[in-house]
Amino acid sequence: MKNKSKLFTIGLVTSWYSSNIGVLLLNKYLLSNYGFKYPIFLTMCHMTACSLLSYIAIAWMKMVPMQTIRSRVQFFKISALSLVFCVSVVFGNISLRFLPGEPSFHLFGFIMCIAATAARALKSVLQGILLSSEGEKLNSMNLLLYMAPIAVVFLLPATLIMEENVVGVTLALARDDIKIIWYLLFNSALAYFVNLTNFLVTKHTSALTLQVLGNAKGAVAVVVSILIFRNPVSITGMLGYTLTVFGVILYSEAKKRSK
């Protein structure tokens, strides 16, 4: 049973890594190479897809039983998680506009990366509480079902205020190149899978493990990004990511010894 559980966890982490890096690279391509400079709208597309696909999976396909929100406090916790999640993703997407390659450096892009990382850490803790608290326990798919529409509510006014006429610009781009629509649809669907596997990894590991794995994922994404986008590599950047991988190894060893 232990071996099966370990293989299941490895499969979850692999799925999370693959889909996450796929979304990251496609976001990077859209925001940096393609010239689609609307990170908030892109995040809203992701959350809209998560809302629709979560409802289809739970209400229509009956993949898991639908759970209800039990209290106002639980609703506020889910809302807080949605807000923190929006901040982490939007800041991460904004950073891609200034850091077209992970090993590159831009001060504002760096600040956005740090802010996104801090928000992701807070999100992981809140997520862990909502997935494990006995009084307010929600399975991962139901949490995403309730979280995603709330995130859309937060993102819609931000998009309208900060990214004026984004719909008109997108339609104009689609008239010249229909592939932009397919990029957005595929990217949004993949984002649903990222969030689903993210919640499942949190449930089967811990918030701290998720954060450590997320940092290691950044190093893997760098290698893939360099191979695809041919980004320049600095010695300082490579030393930083080597240190990240070394930290992940130390954490893994410390966790083994604690058991």
Side-chain angles (χ1 to χ4, degrees), residues 128-146:
I129 293 170
L130 284 167
L131 288 173
S132 59
S133 175
E134 287 301 322
E136 300 171 348
K137 194 170 185 178
L138 288 173
N139 65 53
S140 56
M141 294 185 71
N142 275 274
L143 181 57
L144 185 58
L145 172 68
Y146 291 116

Side-chain angles (χ1 to χ4, degrees), residues 6 10 21 51 71 77 135 150 158 167 170 174 199 230 255 258:
K6 187 178 292 187
I10 291 171
I21 291 173
S51 301
S71 66
K77 286 182 180 179
I150 298 172
V167 176
T170 304
F199 287 136
R230 307 295 181 185
K255 194 166 184 180
S258 67

Side-chain angles (χ1 to χ4, degrees), residues 53 65-66 91 100-101 108 137 139 153 181 184 195 197 212 226 258:
L53 293 175
M66 182 175 283
F91 281 6
F108 183 70
K137 194 170 185 178
N139 65 53
V153 171
I181 300 298
L184 290 174
N195 285 287
T197 53
V212 172
I226 291 170
S258 67

Side-chain angles (χ1 to χ4, degrees), residues 13-48:
V13 173
T14 302
S15 299
W16 178 53
Y17 265 41
S18 302
S19 56
N20 211 313
I21 291 173
V23 168
L24 176 66
L25 295 178
L26 191 48
N27 285 350
K28 188 190 296 286
Y29 173 75
L30 287 170
L31 295 168
S32 299
N33 297 64
Y34 193 87
F36 187 79
K37 302 183 184 298
Y38 301 102
I40 301 176
F41 176 75
L42 186 61
T43 307
M44 192 177 74
C45 289
H46 292 175
M47 289 297 95
T48 302

Side-chain angles (χ1 to χ4, degrees), residues 68-83:
T68 58
I69 296 176
R70 300 178 184 177
S71 66
R72 187 175 296 179
V73 172
Q74 187 181 27
F75 173 76
F76 283 129
K77 286 182 180 179
I78 295 172
S79 299
L81 177 60
S82 300
L83 180 60

Side-chain angles (χ1 to χ4, degrees), residues 150-171:
I150 298 172
V152 173
V153 171
F154 286 132
L155 291 166
L156 182 58
T159 301
L160 295 175
I161 295 169
M162 301 175 68
E163 298 178 344
E164 295 181 46
N165 199 32
V166 62
V167 176
V169 172
T170 304
L171 292 176

Side-chain angles (χ1 to χ4, degrees), residues 206-221:
S206 67
L208 178 58
T209 300
L210 184 77
Q211 196 62 27
V212 172
L213 289 172
N215 291 335
K217 171 183 62 62
V220 176

